Every structure is written in C-alpha cells, then in structure tokens.
C-alpha cells in the first residue's frame, strides 16, 4: 500500500556529515546513463588474474554473461587480497556460541589458514573444479570455511539451511549429485540439540552419489559414524593432507560459484546458479554503497548462511569489503528477549542487518529490553526478506537506532544475488518503502498485458536491465529459467512480486503475486508443503495458502481432503503438522488445517488457491469462470 500522508524521514546530521557518497542522485544519474561503465569501474576495484574482454555479453539473452574472458576467484578478493595489506591482522569474524560461553575470533590471516586447511581436505577427498559439495551446517565458523574452501578450489557449494528435514535435504543432495557432504554432529537450538547427523544419515542412506561425509564436532552428542563413509573433520585436519598451502584456483568469470535451492510457485525447489565474476562485483558494490561499510565497522547480518542473505550479505559482501563480521549461533530471544541487544552492546556492532519478522517479534516484548542496553555503537540498520510495516520501521528506527540510524530496506531475491531496490544512506526515507532501484537498474510495474500502470497503481514488478550478480540460470533447467522469469514480459525480468511506484519513484512492495509464501522471511512454495502433506497416509489431497500474520508477515494455512474413513480430529491435524515439520521443515508447518470435502479447481485440474485465500479472508472470490463446478 502507498499510505496517504507518508512521513519522509530525512537523514540525520551525522549520516550526512560522514557520507561516503554525499550525492547518490548524481552517481545514480551517471550510472543510469552508462550502467556498463559503472559496473566496469566497480569490477576494477577487485583483482582479476586476466582482464575481461567485455563487461556484458547479452547476445544470447536471457542467458547473459558478465565479464567474459576475465579470470578471477571470489576468494582471491574476499580473503587473499586482504592478506597483503594492513587488514591481514584485522578481525574478519567474531563468533559467539548460543550459550555465550565460547567466543572464536579469526583475523583475515587466520581465516585464510582455516579455509586453506579445509580446501586441502576437500581436495584430498577428490573434490575438484565444478564438483558440487552440499553443506548442511549450523551457524558456526566452519560453514564459512566450507563455503570459502569450495570456492577457493573451484568447487560449487550448495548450502542447505540447517533447519531442513531429511526429505528436503535428500531432494537437494540428489538433484545436485553431490559426492561429498559437510555436516555437524548436531546444532544448538534454544538450549537443545537438533540431531543434524541423524537427519543427514536418513537423507543419504540410499544416496547414489554421496561417497564421503565430513562431520564437524559441535554439540558432542553421540552419533553413529559409518566407518567407510563418515570422517570427523577434527581427525582429518591433523593429517598431513590438511597441511601446507593451497592455491586459489583462477576461475573464468562465468564459472559457477554456488547453487542455492529456493522455492518457486510450482513443483520442486529450483537450484539457482551464481557465478564467480559478476556475483563478486555486485555484492561488493552494493555492500559498499548501501551499508557504507568501512574498516572500523563491526557488521552483523543475522541471516543464516543457509539463505541467500547469509551468502551475499553475511559472507561475501562484507569480506569483499574487508569488513569485520559478527556471527551468533543462537536466536534473538534465548534465554531472554534482550539477547541480540546485549550482543550489540558488548561487541559494539555498528551495522545491523535483520528481518522485519524478527523486529516485530522483539517489539512485542516491549522497549524495556533494548532500553537496558547501550546501543549507541549502531550507525546503520538494514531490513530484508519481506515488506517492513511502518510501525515496525519506526520502532526499529527509534528504539534500536535512537532515531539516528538510517534503515536500508533492501529488496532483492535469491535470483538477483544482490540488492535491486534499496535506499542509500543519505536518502530521505519513506517507512515501508524499499526506496529506489540500485545504480544502473530501472524497474517498472506492469499490468497483465504488459503496459506500465499509472503512478501509484499496483501491478507486476519487473526489472528492466541485467545486473552483474544475476543468477545464471536454474541448474540443468534452461527451459524453466526462460519460462519462469523471461517469458511473460519479453525483455524484462519477472520478479514474481506485486508492487507500486509512487510519484517520487519510491517502490512499495506489496508481496508475492505467485504461489510463494514468505513465512518469517523464509521463502516457502505452496507446492512443497502440499507435497509433504500429501505424503501423510490419511491425506488424499492438500492445498495451502498464505494468510497475513502480525509477526510472521504471512502464515501457512492448509486445507486437506482426507481418505475415506479418516477422522478429521484435532489430533490428526496436529499429526499432519508434525509430519510436515519432519518431512520438510518446522518452518513450513501450517498454522491451521481445515478438513474439506473437496478443493476448488479449474477445469484443467489446478487448485484455485486464490479462491481458498479469499474465502479465508472473507473477501470476494472474484472471477470463477474457469472453475470446475462439478468438483
Ligand atoms: C533476499 C530474500 C525473495 C522475496 C521477494 C520479496 C521478498 C525480500 C524484501 C521483500 C519487501 C523487502 N522480499 N526483500 N519484500 N521488501 N525489502 O529475501 O530472498 O528468499 O529469494 O525471497 O522476498 O517477495 O520476491 P528470497
């Protein structure tokens, strides 16, 4: 929604005085006139072993290639290049355990040692250029080492969020044909152990590809080790194979860096592919400009490394800028709702990037919790994952940011790899709007026919120009890449979001316009939840929709048709919810399940989720002309 009398929040004086880019409008104009020159200048700030021949090759669009001919490696720029200068002994990572009893810190020098060691281990296990390694680890430093170690030797990492269950994990490992998986014995969640090793054992029991499982000790829980397949990471590092230097492999700019599975509107999750060259340029530049990150900063991105935010703005963007990052193993409210605030105070965090759902959940505990802490080290805040409602925006701004810190509400996607719509630190902010397109980008809001809608009207959000950190496709599925993103409006990238643009060019994201649900900022496909429900023996057919939720943004509401004779009891509803948690993930558990006789469908048999949603919300169900009334 574009609220009527929206307040414009000007940048505070300190922000203006310290701004690295005092006039983003002027820079934006220059970048707009020649986006490729802008991106070439950003790329030139990084190291390449061979220069690129061209900035962008769009001759095979929508298969774009960035910096073709160039050779580089993101690790060279994220780690190696800092070793030669004054950042060598600067902290790259400060990590704190969930119970607060352990702290581990790594300078860039130490980070390089750790990454090199893991890279040597991977190589010794036969991992080479182009091999896909699945990483299923908790929020511990080893997840960074593993990702960087893969990139360093030219292997492709595929991180699966540590909260996924065996079936989801199996699908992702099988689809990527990983021969090696890196995991931990368990992870800590609010004082209890989540048995990661058991989950992975179940996921790979019949795997046709996995040959080796590297297990990091974290919780010390008892696990069963397969003597032929499983190896303790701690044992491997004491072997001679782990020792010595390991060169950072020079990669073609377009060589793949990682796969990341994400939910789409239909079918199985899709593997988004990102490449070394363009991705490093895009994440480097956006982190530099939008977070205005500097050497003296202490930066904290609360996102799990298992999501794209943890990749682009947890790991790579800050390291490419030589920044000091903070990583916390636990969540915001354990054991008390001041956990994050106390960490910000203790570690002097200056840039804090989190999600609206976290802000809303912490807001509910009242400002007495943050007010007990001195949060004056903060100078810039960030938000990502879903629209931030003005109430949460103001609370974040006032109570956490002391009214002084600009909030960078960054809109982007797993596919985009980097920010596409976001403010700049000195820009006047409109609470609830993600600001304007990033340098070199233009967006439009279109109607069904592809016409731009009038200012302020809602429509489909598209991106007009390619950008360097764009995904290079879907793993092994070129057709789905074309169909999903580039066919509806030829020449434009279809985001799947619905949005409005106001008279000042500020973009207001309304939300997903497809069958993707954002639950607490996590991207979940209706099809995946439905498949998990369908696999319950009492369920014949299921449909799920996203309903507005005060804290989570959206919640999952399900409808199930039961097999004849099954009793639609409260217990069965609970059992189905648990089934989804066990087979997909606890984050995908429906909040409520309604048992129904049949589901509304089109004549071609597609479930009409919008009808279910409208009914649940008491809204007009709209055009039903395609509905199969016989059903
Ligand atoms: C980074 C990330 C992408 C979807 C996207 C949109 C929603 C992300 C947002 C936002 C409003 C923001 N989204 N950031 N909506 N304001 N600042 O979340 O990637 O998990 O792929 O989700 O998230 O709906 O289409 P991903």
């Amino acid at each position: 929604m574009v609220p009527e009398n929206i307040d414009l929040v000007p940048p505070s004086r300190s922000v203006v005085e310290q701004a690295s880019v005092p006039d983003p409008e002027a820079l934006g104009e220059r970048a707009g006139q020649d986006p490729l020159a802008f991106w070439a200048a950003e790329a030139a700030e990084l190291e390449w072993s061979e220069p690129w021949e061209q900035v962008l090759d769009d001759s095979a669009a929508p298969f774009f290639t960035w910096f073709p001919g160039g050779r580089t490696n993101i690790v060279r720029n994220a780690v190696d290049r800092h070793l030669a200068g004054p950042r060598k002994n600067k902290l790259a990572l400060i990590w704190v355990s969930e119970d607060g009893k352990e702290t581990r810190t790594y300078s860039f020098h130490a980070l390089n040692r750790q990454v090199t060691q893991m890279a040597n281990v991977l190589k010794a296990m036969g991992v080479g250029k182009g091999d896909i390694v699945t990483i299923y680890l908790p929020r511990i430093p080893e997840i960074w080492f593993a990702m960087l170690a893969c990139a360093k030797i030219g292997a492709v990492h595929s991180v699966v969020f540590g909260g996924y269950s065996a079936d989801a994990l199996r699908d992702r490992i099988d689809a990527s044909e990983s021969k090696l998986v890196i995991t931990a014995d368990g992870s800590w969640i609010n004082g209890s152990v989540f048995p990661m090793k058991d989950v992975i054992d179940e996921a790979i029991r019949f795997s046709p590809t996995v040959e080796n499982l590297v297990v990091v000790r974290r919780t010390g829980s008892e696990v069963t080790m397969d003597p032929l397949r499983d190896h303790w990471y701690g044992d491997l590092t004491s072997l001679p194979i782990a020792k010595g230097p390991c060169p950072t492999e020079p990669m073609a700019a377009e060589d793949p860096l990682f796969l990341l599975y994400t939910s789409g509107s239909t079918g199985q999750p899709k593997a988004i592919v990102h490449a070394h060259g363009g991705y490093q340029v895009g994440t480097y530049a956006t982190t530099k400009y939008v977070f205005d990150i500097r050497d003296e900063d202490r930066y904290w991105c609360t996102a799990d490394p298992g999501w794209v935010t943890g990749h682009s703005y947890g790991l790579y963007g800050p390291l490419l800028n030589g920044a000091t990052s903070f990583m916390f193993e636990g969540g915001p409210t354990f054991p008390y709702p001041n956990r994050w605030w106390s960490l910000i105070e203790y570690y002097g965090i200056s840039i804090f990037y989190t999600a609206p759902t976290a802000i809303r959940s912490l807001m509910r505990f009242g400002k007495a919790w943050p007010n007990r802490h001195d949060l004056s080290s903060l100078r810039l805040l960030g938000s990502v994952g879903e629209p931030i409602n003005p109430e949460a925006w103001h609370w974040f701004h006032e109570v956490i940011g002391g009214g002084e810190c600009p909030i960078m509400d960054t809109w982007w996607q797993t596919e985009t790899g980097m920010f596409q719509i976001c403010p700049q630190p000195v820009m006047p902010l409109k609470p609830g709007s993600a600001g304007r397109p990033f340098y070199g980008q233009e967006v439009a809001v279109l109607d069904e026919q592809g016409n731009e809608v009038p200012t302020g009207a809602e429509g489909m959000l598209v991106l007009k120009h390619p950008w360097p950190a764009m995904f290079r496709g879907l793993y092994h599925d070129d057709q789905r890449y074309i169909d999903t993103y580039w066919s509806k409006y030829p020449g434009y990238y279809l985001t799947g979001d619905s949005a409005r643009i106001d008279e000042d060019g500020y973009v207001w994201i309304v939300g997903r316009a497809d069958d993707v649900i954002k639950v607490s900022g996590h991207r979940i496909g209706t099809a995946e939840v439905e498949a998990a429900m369908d696999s319950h023996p009492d369920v014949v057919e299921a449909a799920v929709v996203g309903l507005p939720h005060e804290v989570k943004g959206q919640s999952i509401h399900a409808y199930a048709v039961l097999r004849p004779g099954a009793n639609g009891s409260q217990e069965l509803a609970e059992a189905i919810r648990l089934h989804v948690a066990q087979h997909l993930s606890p984050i995908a558990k429906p909040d409520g399940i309604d048992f129904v006789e049949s589901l509304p469908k089109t004549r071609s048999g597609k479930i009409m989720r919008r009808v279910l949603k409208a009914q649940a919300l008491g809204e007009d169900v709209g055009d039903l002309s395609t509905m199969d009334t016989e059903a």
Side-chain angles (χ1 to χ4, degrees):
M1 291 294 223
V2 182
E4 285 288 296
N5 300 308
I6 188 71
D7 34 342
L8 201 65
V9 180
S12 62
R13 196 150 57 133
S14 61
V15 170
V16 174
E17 280 168 359
Q18 295 167 17
S20 306
V21 181
D23 191 356
E25 297 271 344
L27 180 55
E29 208 158 295
R30 281 204 307 279
Q33 279 157 8
D34 193 349
L36 299 188
F38 171 80
W39 286 118
E42 294 304 318
E45 292 182 13
L46 299 174
E47 292 182 3
W48 300 73
S49 43
E50 302 236 358
W52 58 87
E53 287 154 11
Q54 216 181 329
V55 177
L56 168 69
D57 178 358
D58 58 3
S59 57
F63 297 93
F64 297 91
T65 51
W66 282 84
F67 309 106
R71 290 191 89 77
T72 184
N73 185 311
I74 198 165
V75 173
R76 173 169 177 178
N77 284 303
V79 182
D80 305 0
R81 78 183 174 114
H82 305 307
L83 303 177
R87 285 182 185 140
K88 180 179 178 186
N89 296 317
K90 177 185 167 175
L91 289 185
L93 177 63
I94 304 167
W95 174 84
V96 174
S97 64
E98 184 184 81
D99 65 8
K101 290 182 185 149
E102 263 179 277
T103 308
R104 286 157 66 183
T105 55
Y106 299 90
S107 62
F108 277 91
H109 175 79
L111 177 64
N112 178 55
R113 188 176 61 231
Q114 295 286 346
V115 173
T116 301
Q117 179 173 279
M118 199 172 289
N120 280 331
V121 167
L122 294 181
K123 263 184 161 172
M125 302 193 97
V127 177
K129 217 171 173 171
D131 289 340
I132 300 171
V133 174
T134 297
I135 299 172
Y136 182 65
L137 280 169
R139 232 169 7 246
I140 54 176
E142 283 78 4
I143 192 164
W144 274 25
F145 307 157
M147 293 163 80
L148 292 167
C150 288
K152 187 176 175 70
I153 62 172
V156 178
H157 57 74
S158 170
V159 181
V160 178
F161 172 56
Y164 273 120
S165 309
D167 292 2
L169 188 53
R170 180 185 307 116
D171 290 346
R172 288 156 175 77
I173 293 171
D174 288 354
S176 58
E177 296 158 358
S178 291
K179 283 188 284 194
L180 185 124
V181 179
I182 307 174
T183 192
D185 52 354
S187 62
W188 287 108
I189 298 179
N190 296 342
S192 326
V193 171
F194 174 73
M196 283 192 124
K197 175 68 168 68
D198 295 352
V199 174
I200 198 113
D201 281 343
E202 200 187 325
I204 63 176
R205 181 166 302 139
F206 304 110
S207 165
T209 58
V210 176
E211 293 164 3
N212 288 298
L213 181 66
V214 174
V215 189
V216 175
R217 258 263 183 251
R218 173 61 200 127
T219 54
S221 20
E222 205 161 303
V223 294
T224 326
M225 297 290 276
D226 177 334
L228 294 177
R229 187 196 66 190
D230 303 351
H231 319 270
W232 287 112
Y233 182 59
D235 293 346
L236 296 171
T237 54
S238 57
L239 300 175
I241 50 158
K243 309 277 187 308
C246 173
T248 300
E249 195 69 35
M251 305 295 287
E254 282 297 310
D255 277 337
L257 167 65
F258 67 84
L259 298 188
L260 190 55
Y261 284 85
T262 192
S263 304
S265 42
T266 52
Q268 283 297 309
K270 43 199 179 185
I272 304 291
V273 184
H274 281 282
H276 275 260
Y279 180 81
Q280 68 174 5
V281 175
T283 54
Y284 164 73
T286 44
T287 308
K288 181 180 71 173
Y289 287 116
V290 181
F291 290 152
D292 185 23
I293 209 159
R294 302 178 199 156
D295 267 320
E296 59 274 26
D297 275 315
R298 279 197 168 180
Y299 169 85
W300 182 8
C301 164
T302 65
D304 192 275
W307 306 114
V308 74
T309 304
H311 281 56
S312 298
Y313 299 103
L315 175 66
Y316 289 115
L319 285 184
L320 287 163
N321 281 278
T324 300
S325 284
F326 178 73
M327 187 196 287
F328 174 49
E329 184 181 33
T333 55
F334 181 79
Y336 300 109
N338 66 331
R339 197 65 201 277
W340 278 4
W341 318 134
S342 79
L343 290 166
I344 290 175
E345 176 176 26
Y346 193 89
Y347 289 97
I349 303 301
S350 54
I351 303 180
F352 181 62
Y353 187 36
T354 192
T357 182
I359 298 163
R360 287 191 297 263
S361 77
L362 290 165
M363 215 170 109
R364 287 202 310 181
F365 293 101
K367 58 182 173 192
W369 290 101
N371 283 349
R372 282 164 51 185
H373 298 278
D374 175 3
L375 303 179
S376 60
S377 59
L378 290 171
R379 68 174 186 86
L380 189 138
L381 303 172
S383 171
V384 62
E386 42 166 331
I388 178 165
N389 50 311
E391 194 196 354
W393 195 101
H394 283 293
W395 191 85
F396 199 28
H397 190 244
E398 291 305 317
V399 180
I400 306 306
E404 292 283 322
C405 307
I407 299 178
M408 298 297 104
D409 177 358
T410 59
W411 181 93
W412 59 294
Q413 307 175 305
T414 307
E415 291 88 340
T416 72
M418 60 181 252
F419 304 153
Q420 293 299 310
I421 302 169
C422 54
Q424 296 286 336
V426 301
M427 209 169 116
L429 302 169
K430 297 190 185 188
S433 160
R436 298 215 189 112
F438 186 74
Y439 303 134
Q441 187 54 282
E442 281 181 285
V443 305
V445 169
L446 307 180
D447 64 17
E448 275 300 313
Q449 285 70 44
N451 304 311
E452 294 209 13
V453 302
T455 303
E458 188 180 334
M460 302 298 286
L461 178 70
V462 297
L463 307 180
K464 289 188 167 181
H465 303 297
W467 60 98
M470 68 196 303
F471 64 140
R472 297 306 196 265
L474 302 177
Y475 183 58
H476 283 171
D477 206 345
D478 287 351
Q479 197 54 49
R480 191 171 174 195
Y481 170 71
I482 296 170
D483 293 347
T484 313
Y485 303 102
W486 304 97
S487 296
K488 186 166 168 119
Y489 304 114
Y492 291 161
Y493 167 81
L494 181 69
T495 65
D497 278 28
S498 139
R500 301 164 193 261
I501 303 178
D502 70 17
E503 62 281 6
D504 300 321
Y506 282 57
V507 182
W508 299 78
I509 305 292
V510 179
R512 295 293 303 197
D514 53 10
D515 288 323
V516 170
I517 308 179
K518 274 269 167 155
V519 183
S520 301
H522 302 319
R523 180 165 161 178
I524 295 168
T526 47
E528 287 165 274
V529 186
E530 288 163 2
M533 288 180 67
D534 289 346
S535 72
H536 187 280
D538 285 339
V539 176
V540 173
E541 196 176 26
V544 309
V545 296
L547 298 182
H549 187 279
E550 216 179 307
V551 174
K552 298 196 265 190
Q554 280 190 296
S555 67
I556 300 178
H557 190 78
Y559 298 84
V561 179
L562 297 179
R563 72 169 168 81
N567 173 14
S569 61
Q570 204 46 46
E571 288 73 42
L572 180 58
E574 200 41 48
I576 297 171
R577 293 177 67 234
L578 199 66
H579 182 84
V580 174
Q582 281 168 350
H583 288 263
L584 182 56
S585 170
I587 57 174
K589 233 172 23 180
D591 275 15
I593 303 182
D594 285 348
F595 296 120
V596 291
E597 291 293 315
S598 65
L599 296 169
K601 287 190 188 162
T602 61
R603 275 179 220 116
S604 59
K606 279 198 199 139
I607 297 170
M608 296 179 88
R609 295 187 190 82
R610 70 173 174 85
V611 172
L612 291 168
K613 189 168 174 168
Q615 278 170 351
L617 296 172
E619 289 170 356
D620 178 14
V621 295
D623 178 13
L624 291 180
S625 59
T626 60
M627 187 153 136
D628 180 2
T629 43
E630 299 300 304

